[in-house]
Structure formats: C-alpha cells, structure tokens
Amino acid sequence: MSSLKASNGVVDAIWKLLASIQLTIVLLMSLAGTSIIGTLIPQNSEPAAYVAAFGETLFRFFSVLGLFDMYHSWWFQILIVLLAANVVVCSADRLSAGRRILFVRQPAYQAARFRSLPDREAFTEERGPEILRALYEPYVSRKARAVHIETTEDGFRMFGENGRWTRFGVYAVHLSVVLLLIGGLIGSIFGFDGFVTIPEGDTVQQISLRSTGERLRLPFAIRCDDFDVSFYETGAPKEFRSSLTLLENGRPVLQKEIIVNDPLRYQGISIFQSSYGTVPSREAVLSFTSRGTGMVYTQEMKVGQEAHLPENLGTFVLAELRHQTQFKGHPVGDAFIGRLTTPDGTAQEVVLPIRFPTFDRMRRGEVVIAVDQFKEKHYTGLQVNKDPGVDVVYSGFILMILGCYVTFFRSHQQVCVEAVRKGSGALVTIYGTANKNKASMQRRIQRLAIALKEMK
Amino acid sequence: MTSSVLLSATTFIYGIAGFLYCFAWVFKKPGAGRLASWVTLGGLAGNTAGFILRWVESYRMGFGHAPLSNLYESLIFFAWTIALIYLFIEWRYQNRVIGAFSAPLAFLTMAYASLSPNISDRIQPLIPALKSNWLIAHVITCFIGYGAFAVAFGVSIMYLLKSRRGEGEGGLVGRFPPTAVLDELTHQLGMFGFLFLSAGIITGAVWANSAWGRYWGWDPKETWSLITWFIYATLLHARMMRGWRGRRIAWLSIVGFGAVLFTYFGVNLLPGLHSYQSMGQ
C-alpha cells in the first residue's frame, strides 16, 4: 500500500485485500479443504458411472460444480489465480515497504536501538579502547559486512552485519510458486499429453490426446522394432522394454530402447514406456490333414492368401482373424475364418479357433484344417508428451527448496561492539540482533565475546 | 541374524524406551530418563542395522534395492526418522519429557509394521515404475518431513495439555517444558518438516515426470501431499505473519499430522498410481 497509492478507492481496496495475509490463510485453507473432494470422487470417469454412483439429481448438481474434473474447474482455477495474485501483491507490498532494509549498501546503525536489546554480553578489559579498536577492527571487518566504526567521547562503537541477503529468501519461495504456476500454464497451452499403442513392427505417426480423444499428427513417425517384457520368479513384472526408431520422411533419425523411468526425448517431445499388451498376428502356420491318405501338409499363410490344396482337395482362402468368435452360440475365442472351396465348387466357411486345434474335425470334411503355429505379437503402449513448461517448473522447484532453507534457517544479524574507558582499561559490551531464530543470537554473541577476549 | 529379527527387537527396544520416558516423567526419576535416552539410542542403532541388513539381504536375493519400496520398509524408515529427530531435540533442549510423547510414536510405527497381519515383511523385487534413483531421494525426504511432523504432533499435544493449566502449576503437566518452548519447538519442527515435505513432493514430481511423463497429475496421493503442504504453509504464515501463537498453532500442527497420516495410509483406500504401496503387497 505504501508506494502504489491509487487514487481510485476500488483499486486501493482490491490491492489491500490482495496484500492481506488473512486472504492467504483463507485461500490456503480453501485449497486444502476443496482438494479433498477430488480425491474422494474419482475424476474424469464416464458419466454413466457417476449416474450409477450418485443418482441423476446429484450427478447434475456435481456436474455444474465441475466436481468430476474439479482441479480444472472454474472455481478451483480462480482459487489458484487468487493465490498467485496474493503471493505477487504481498511480495511487492513487502518489498516496497522494506526497501530501506533490503536495498541499502551501508545501513544506518543506531546505538540506542542496540542498547535496548536483551541479547548482550559484557566484560572488562585491562587494555584501553585505543588498543582494543586496533585489535578488533581487522577481526570484525573479516567476520562481518558493512562494518561501521564511530568514535565516542570515551571509546568507540563498532557495528557490523551478516546475512542481509537472507531477507530475500521468502521472496524466492514466493517467486518459485509463481514459476510453478507459469510453467504449468505454459505446459497446458503449448504442450500436449497423448497416447499411442504400436504393435511390434508397425509404424505410427498419429497419437490420441488424453484430454479430448482427438488425433494428433507428430512431426515424426515412431516404429516399434521390438517389445520385451520380463518377469521375476514371483510373477511380478521386472522390465518393459521397447526398441523404437523415429523416422522423418521415412528416414530413421533416432533409435533407442526405452524402459520405464528412461524415456526418449526428441524435438521437445518425450516418449515414455507406459503399458503393453498382445495382439494376435495375422499370420499362422496351418496344417491340412487329408482324411483319405492321412498325409499332413503344412503351409504358412497370411490373412487374404489363397492356397491350392494337394490331392485335389480344393482351394482354401484365409479370410480373416475374428476376435471373440461365436460358433453356434458358443464362445470359442480368437479364431481364423477361412473359405474352403471343394473341387465340385461348393464353398463353406471354416472356423479355426486358435485355442482348439482339433476343432475342425467336427466338420467331418475330406480335409481337417488346424492352426499349427500361431505367434502373438506384443504391442507397446507409449505415453507421448510435449511440455515446454517443464524447465520453468524445475527452476521453480530448485528456487523453492533454496528459498525455504534460507527463509527458515538463515537470518540477518547485526552486532554492535561498544568499548567505554574504565580506569586504565575498558568495559566492552556486545549487543546483537537477528530477524529470526533469536535463540541462536545469544550464542553467537557469547562466541564473539570469547573471540574478542582472546585477542592479543 | 536376519533383519526381521533385528527389527522386531528394535520394536521392543523402542517400547521399553517409551515406557522409561513415561516412568521418568510420572515418577520424577531422572535416572530412568537418562537410561531411556540410551535405550532410544540403542533402538536407533538396531533400527539402522536392521535397515542396512535388509538392504544387504535384498542383494543376496539377487535383486538388490534400498529398503524403501513398500509399506513395511517405509514404516521402518519412518520410525528411524522419528527416533533420530527426537534424540536431536532432546540433546538441543535438554528435556526428556518430550520423549514420553515421541518414543511411543516410534514404537507404534514399528509395532504396526511388525504386527499388522496386512503388512508383508517379505523382501520383494522392484516393479519397473519403482526402478529409479529418485525412489531413494523421494522416500528419504518425505519421511524426514513426516518424522518432524510426528514429533511436532507430540509436542503440540503437550502444549494443549499444558495450556489448559496455569504456567506455574505443578503435577505431571507442570514438568513439561514452558509453553513458550513447546510453541517455539512446534514452529521449528514445522519449518524443518515443511522444507523436507516440499523436497519430498518435488523429488516425487521429478520422478513422476521421468516415469509417467507428467510432474503432476492430481493423483490422490499427490493431492493429499499437497493438502498437507497447504496446512503447514498456513501454520507458518499464520505464525510468522499474523503472530498466531499457542493453541491455534498446536491445533494446526495436529490437523497437519492427521493429513500426513491420511496421505500415508488413507490414500491406499482410494484408487491411484501409488497403489503399489497397498497393504497386501
């Protein structure tokens, strides 16, 4: 309020409100209290699940309040923006009010102020003030900053200070909070958060965004060359590993194996190992057993391929791989579907469930077809992100830790050593003050007294 | 000797220490108090040895990792931080009554880890998400913070008990340190804990960014750690800037420790990415 005296009463009132520590306390408590809601109500689930859990009326009410995505709701964002404004205004206000303490080269020491301090240590010296002054000056100048010596009627006063800069610690913490919010904002505006699954051997260039489900085209393509998962003896997963190649205009530009906690970063985009699964491959080795001769013929086939069977058994087309197949109302799992055309020209559909190799015997045809070898392929699930705000956030992190340490555990201390002639010697008194952790000031004064007494 | 045996013994030792501190306080026996200090130090040594031995054992099992990876191991470390921080306070303030309110916390933590049928003390290999050097930094910083908040909780309880009586009054509560000292101690521990809680949240965020590609995701555990952070931030601002003292600060410290406990245990009941820490593992 001191410097920015606005003529407008409303602006003044708003400034006053934003500069108040009561607002800080109210905001911190509100953020703590409301944050609980989002941990009790699962966030970003399907509307149907919410209706089932809360009923229609409560669901609408909660929807209006944005409780299903509450950390991004308007009112929660307002609380955060208010906190940021509060932090900035409070800091500006205090910096401006304290500029005479914070931004001076040579502080104006006042003897009267030191004399009124409770923390002091006094001793008598046989040597006179002149000798002591010559002895103390180099020591105090070495130990303290902004040393100032004044001559008094019957002696001298020596002032010094340490740690004036520590008064900036709290502003560093406040700045760090602002940096975190700015970094978060940069990330949400200029970044994205997406997901893609790639079967081994496949290449993709488009990912799905988590927030909207929209597709996003990357400036490069990702090929999954290989995926491996290993397990401990206990059955718990040990490692997920994807070998990825990034391609620009079809040319490989980067190759890397990624595991959880070791992502790939390229052009500001990070690719994280996130999940995995299996997809049936569209290839199989099929066996054809002739009922007449008992001969078994095997052939590797791809979906869409046609095979002419020996012994004039006809032609077979591997038509498709059908997931969760039903055969006469019974689930038989994943199955290949083929079309067998016998030499007389009759065609029939053949179902070849992967799990039941003898299934086709039931058809009682001239040839029994079975899936002999079938290899499942893995797919890798990748988290694909871009967050240009991370560096800002990380600098906020570092600043916060340093700032907290300085704010809590370092202080701005001033001492005054006063010597007054007493007979042929002198009475020396040391006064000290600190802006925090006053208990340790007394100990510091005692240590200084011991050091000065021992000076030769 | 296995780490399990050593850590069970440590539980017992912390129990004895808690009993001795209470005995010394209630019956005014300074000798028992001094003994309690040594017993606590012994417990801390056993706790440390058990921790190191467990680390060694995990290497012998072929998948060595720091014993900071599940609920059992974190409880062991939590007890260790409580005992260490308490002993430091005892040495700094030369007062053993606080021990009657701190050593039992270390004992209860260890006893919960050792005796609860829901907590497995088996050494398990690390799942992929936990394989990171940030695991060690994250758990250590968090639990140093939690340890400070636990001792602050004990001190705040003492403050509330004492503030209901007059300052000069005798009796059991009369042997507590002066209320001004208890209030100052809550503040000091609050600052220390806040620094480490901040560091814990930050190391967790950096780790989350390297494992999952986001430094913050409003996962319940993250959110609850932030709630805890908000509460202690309130305490520090109220005290430093608004001059709150005494009962209100003590209550904030108690509520804050409640949030710590919920962040630690309660969140396992909610869904989220930290569920590997759940009871059955």
Side-chain angles (χ1 to χ4, degrees), chain B residues 117-146:
Chain B
N118 297 324
I119 300 174
S120 162
D121 66 350
R122 285 231 318 272
I123 300 179
Q124 302 269 12
L126 291 182
I127 60 167
L130 292 181
K131 284 185 185 168
S132 168
N133 289 331
W134 289 105
L135 169 73
I136 296 177
H138 175 58
V139 177
I140 286 179
T141 48
C142 281
F143 280 96
I144 290 175
Y146 290 0

Side-chain angles (χ1 to χ4, degrees), chain A residues 105-147:
Chain A
R105 276 186 187 283
Q106 188 61 42
Y109 298 106
Q110 286 162 337
R113 198 171 71 86
F114 285 94
R115 286 222 188 89
S116 66
L117 294 171
D119 289 341
R120 60 178 65 182
E121 192 77 20
F123 57 93
T124 50
E125 265 285 353
E126 288 170 1
R127 295 166 286 192
E130 294 79 15
I131 301 168
L132 292 178
R133 179 171 179 163
L135 270 177
Y136 292 174
E137 192 180 345
Y139 180 79
V140 172
S141 299
R142 202 170 65 239
K143 289 278 177 186
R145 291 167 158 273
V147 174

Side-chain angles (χ1 to χ4, degrees), chain A residues 35-39 43 69-73 76-77, chain B residues 218 223:
Chain A
S35 293
I36 297 172
I37 302 170
T39 66
Q43 300 287 291
D69 190 15
M70 70 148 274
Y71 303 109
H72 303 103
S73 67
F76 196 78
Q77 307 270 15
Chain B
W218 296 106
T223 308

Side-chain angles (χ1 to χ4, degrees), chain A residues 21-22 28 31-32 35-36 39 71 76 94 184 232 237-238 260-261 263 272 383 385 387 393-394 397 404 408, chain B residues 125-126 128-129 131-132 191 195 202 206-207 209-213 215 218 223-224 227 230 234 236 241-242 270:
Chain A
I21 195 78
Q22 283 101 322
L28 286 172
L31 283 166
S35 293
I36 297 172
T39 66
Y71 303 109
F76 196 78
R94 273 169 48 98
Y232 293 108
K238 185 177 184 180
V260 182
N261 276 311
F272 299 84
Q383 167 82 22
N385 279 27
D387 190 347
V393 170
Y394 279 20
F397 284 166
C404 276
F408 297 152
Chain B
L126 291 182
K131 284 185 185 168
S132 168
M191 290 194 297
L195 174 64
I202 286 170
V206 174
W207 179 14
N209 193 38
S210 77
W212 302 314
Y215 51 83
W218 296 106
T223 308
W224 269 96
I227 291 168
F230 283 141
T234 307
L236 296 175
M241 303 308 301
R242 294 294 302 166
L270 307 168

